[in-house]
């Protein structure tokens, strides 16, 4: 490949050069912007063409097909060579001495650009907007998908260009451009702690009667069947003849046969307590044939009725 041979048709300029970083020509200020240094022969060719000013160029790496845009600072480089910022060589994946194609370009004025810092340290600057505005004065154009370098306080901050309007490459010379920021690449959203339930509500839920009712039924006193002393069945509850009743103090169990016997004796108007309940049926069998007319008369007497005596008044 012969470097230095110009290809131009009408208003176009296209040339292939070998690229080197700005440190080779002792021009450290090149790192603060996006401008390159070209040989004097390029100026002669550009002057003979009817191109738009300010001069803007498209840089193209044939090997990787990477594209970027830049301006020009001076025409003092050796023939067949150009010097550019090192960060721009990194964007184009170029090494020292690699070939790069340079072509003149016409870009529209930018109206919008969205930037994304590589690290969140850039947001810690006291006034990042002012620093960015000052730095972009040294830039002539921006390309979507590329990156720029902002130097501040002896530290370098790299920023990606996510979006540009009205096209993928824009000119930012003497234009009002709206700038928007995306979260840094290393930014992590803070984890929101889960709202803890107050201890008082936890205790209330633990002692909630509705929760207890689902697990265990409440104790209700006096739910048994009632009994009358005279042996008659109650109005609401019928007598329980086959139930087993347990005395908590003496642990005595009344069997169904004893309960039936006691009910039969109580039906005759007699009260049976303790062991007399077992003796009563036997005595009734022995005394059965010896019953006299007097006993029969006693049976015919009316049943015992409580609270039938005379009443007395305490008043005199």
């Amino acid at each position: 490949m012969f470097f230095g041979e110009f290809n131009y048709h009408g208003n176009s300029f296209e040339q292939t050069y070998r690229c080197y970083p700005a440190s080779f020509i002792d021009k450290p200020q090149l790192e603060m912007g996006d401008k390159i240094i070209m040989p004097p022969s390029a100026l002669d060719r550009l002057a003979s063409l009817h191109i738009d000013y300010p001069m803007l160029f498209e840089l193209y790496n044939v090997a990787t097909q990477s594209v970027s845009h830049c301006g020009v600072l001076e025409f003092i480089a050796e023939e067949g060579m150009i010097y550019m910022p090192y960060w721009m060589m990194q964007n184009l994946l170029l090494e020292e001495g690699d070939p790069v194609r340079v072509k003149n370009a016409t870009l529209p004025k930018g109206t919008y650009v969205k930037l994304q810092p590589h690290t969140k340290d850039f947001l810690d600057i006291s006034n990042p907007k002012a620093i960015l505005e000052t730095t972009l004065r040294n830039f002539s154009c921006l390309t979507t998908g590329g990156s720029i370098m902002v130097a501040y306080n002896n530290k370098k901050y790299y920023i990606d260009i996510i979006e540009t309007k009205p096209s993928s490459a824009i000119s930012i010379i003497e234009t009002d451009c709206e700038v928007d920021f995306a979260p840094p690449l290393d930014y992590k959203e803070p984890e929101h702690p889960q709202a803890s339930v107050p201890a008082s509500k936890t205790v209330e839920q633990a002692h909630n009667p509705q929760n207890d009712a689902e697990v265990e039924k409440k104790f209700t006193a006096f739910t048994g069947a009632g009994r009358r002393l005279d042996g008659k069945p109650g109005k609401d509850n019928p007598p329980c003849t086959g139930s087993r009743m347990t005395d908590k103090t003496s642990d005595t169990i009344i069997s169904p046969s004893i309960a039936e016997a006691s009910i039969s004796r109580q039906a005759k108007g007699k009260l049976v307590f303790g062991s007399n309940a077992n003796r009563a049926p036997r005595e009734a069998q022995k005394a059965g044939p010896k019953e006299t007319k007097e006993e029969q008369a006693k049976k015919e007497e009316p049943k015992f009725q409580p609270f039938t005596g005379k009443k007395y008044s305490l008043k005199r």
Side-chain angles (χ1 to χ4, degrees), residues 290-309:
K290 296 181 182 180
E291 289 181 352
T292 60
K293 295 180 179 180
E294 294 179 358
E295 292 178 353
Q296 292 178 358
K298 290 180 180 180
K299 290 182 180 179
E300 295 176 357
E301 291 178 359
K303 294 181 180 180
F304 170 75
Q305 295 181 359
F307 307 108
T308 58

Side-chain angles (χ1 to χ4, degrees), residues 13 36 56 100 154 208 214-215 228 276 283 291 303:
F13 169 88
I36 62 175
L56 299 178
V100 58
N154 297 327
N208 192 352
E214 296 177 357
V215 179
R228 292 171 59 101
N276 292 333
E283 292 177 355
E291 289 181 352
K303 294 181 180 180

Side-chain angles (χ1 to χ4, degrees), residues 245-254:
M245 296 181 294
T246 304
D247 188 1
K248 293 182 180 180
T249 57
S250 61
D251 296 336
T252 304
I253 300 176
I254 303 175

Side-chain angles (χ1 to χ4, degrees), residues 134-253:
T134 302
T135 302
L136 289 180
R137 291 175 182 172
N138 299 323
F139 284 74
S140 54
C141 51
L142 297 174
T143 306
T144 301
S147 298
I148 61 175
M149 190 271 294
V150 177
Y152 175 74
N153 198 16
N154 297 327
K155 190 173 181 180
K156 296 180 180 180
Y157 301 93
Y158 291 91
I159 301 176
D160 291 340
I161 303 170
I162 298 178
E163 183 182 0
T164 57
K165 292 180 181 180
S167 64
S168 59
I170 57 174
S171 172
I172 57 173
I173 299 175
E174 297 180 356
T175 181
D176 294 332
C177 187
E178 180 183 356
V179 179
D180 191 12
F181 285 90
L185 295 176
D186 62 349
Y187 175 77
K188 295 181 179 180
E189 294 185 1
E191 297 180 357
H192 298 286
Q194 296 180 355
S196 58
V197 180
S200 58
K201 292 186 178 181
T202 305
V203 174
E204 290 178 359
Q205 293 177 358
H207 296 284
N208 192 352
Q210 296 180 355
N211 297 336
D212 295 342
E214 296 177 357
V215 179
E216 183 180 359
K217 294 183 178 179
K218 290 184 177 181
F219 169 74
T220 306
F222 307 111
T223 57
R227 295 176 179 273
R228 292 171 59 101
L229 294 178
D230 57 359
K232 293 182 179 181
K235 295 181 180 180
D236 298 332
N237 299 323
C240 298
T241 58
S243 61
R244 294 171 61 89
M245 296 181 294
T246 304
D247 188 1
K248 293 182 180 180
T249 57
S250 61
D251 296 336
T252 304
I253 300 176

